[in-house]
Amino acid sequence: MSSEPIAGQRQEPAELMRGVGRVLLSEEAIRQRVAEIGQQISHDYAGRNPLLVGVLKGVVFFMSDLLRAVTIPVRVDFIAISRYDPRGRVKGPVRLIKDLDDNVEGQHLVFVEDMVDTGLTLSYLLRLLRARAPASLEVCALFNKPERRLANVPIKYKGFDLPDRFVVGWGLDYREAYRHLPFVAELKPEVLGLS
Ligand code: IMP
């Protein structure tokens, strides 16, 4: 797929699109997969009133789509952390900036992530949540880059595997830009300063 605007889609500013490379996932493909994941979670958690937990900020796009795709009562909460260096290195230890609003002991948690890359962030957060004694804890990740995995993390609900490339759109940003793009595309190496 190319990064040319697709008929019927809105036009993004040319300056922004100059940094955007190959489109890897279309809006239609993402919406379709999120609907399937929503159905699966609704089936698996019927009668259990799960709490969906997300990490701000990128996940808000996926989370709001997922919340609309589930057909059972669910609750939602967010944590915020500081962590990521866009050139691929993790900036020191993960730091919790905002915690969950409530105690989650005895609750069914679904940890919702936009992207699992090395898995180090997820691994840290799962340890933190497990220590709070939830009744169950599963992971739902929309995007996954298996090639870069450093920590073994169990992903029960997965949207898409992606190649080892820095991608933007559908919540994924580069320095807070590109999150709003209604597709997932590679970011050109020159934008990342890698060329
Ligand atoms: P991990 O600890 O390496 O698994 O980092 C996961 C987090 O890094 C994701 O939640 C994203 O915020 C960020 N991240 C990883 N890869 C990308 C990417 O290709 N584009 C944008 N953000 C990314």
Side-chain angles (χ1 to χ4, degrees):
M1 220 184 261
S2 78
S3 61
E4 291 301 306
I6 300 162
Q9 282 190 352
R10 65 185 195 214
Q11 287 276 355
E12 302 297 334
E15 195 188 326
L16 186 80
M17 289 305 289
R18 260 200 290 281
V20 174
R22 198 161 54 107
V23 175
L24 300 181
L25 297 169
S26 69
E27 175 168 7
E28 193 189 1
I30 300 170
R31 288 204 184 284
Q32 167 70 31
R33 187 70 194 116
V34 173
E36 289 166 5
I37 295 173
Q39 279 174 15
Q40 189 66 51
I41 289 178
S42 304
H43 173 267
D44 294 353
Y45 284 88
R48 290 203 281 168
N49 194 22
L51 177 69
L52 307 193
V53 175
V55 185
L56 294 172
K57 307 171 199 168
V59 82
V60 297
F61 293 75
F62 176 38
M63 183 69 96
S64 56
D65 291 337
L66 188 61
L67 288 168
R68 282 174 292 204
V70 293
T71 52
I72 57 166
V74 295
R75 294 159 302 133
V76 64
D77 203 350
F78 293 96
I79 55 180
I81 57 174
S82 81
R83 60 179 169 194
Y84 196 71
D85 176 339
R87 292 188 188 194
R89 294 181 299 270
V90 173
K91 279 184 194 163
V94 177
R95 206 160 49 88
L96 203 60
I97 297 172
K98 180 214 169 292
D99 206 339
L100 294 171
D101 289 344
D102 297 311
N103 181 0
V104 294
E105 187 178 341
Q107 301 195 31
H108 295 285
L109 305 188
V110 180
F111 193 84
V112 180
E113 260 283 30
D114 49 359
M115 167 73 82
V116 183
D117 186 10
T118 63
L120 292 175
T121 312
L122 182 56
S123 154
Y124 167 85
L125 293 171
L126 289 179
R127 239 177 306 146
L128 186 129
L129 290 176
R130 274 194 204 106
R132 298 178 181 187
S136 67
L137 175 58
E138 300 288 359
V139 175
C140 172
L142 184 55
F143 308 119
N144 179 43
K145 287 199 270 192
E147 286 168 48
R148 284 174 37 96
R149 194 68 92 251
L150 294 175
N152 188 16
V153 283
I155 303 178
K156 174 139 189 197
Y157 307 98
K158 187 177 68 180
F160 301 92
D161 282 333
L162 291 175
D164 179 13
R165 296 274 193 283
F166 195 85
V167 295
V168 290
W170 216 274
L172 298 169
D173 73 307
Y174 174 64
R175 298 186 173 168
E176 295 296 328
Y178 307 99
R179 280 192 205 283
H180 68 291
L181 294 177
F183 49 79
V184 168
E186 290 178 7
L187 197 61
K188 289 189 178 155
E190 55 264 36
V191 179
L192 288 165
L194 298 179
S195 62

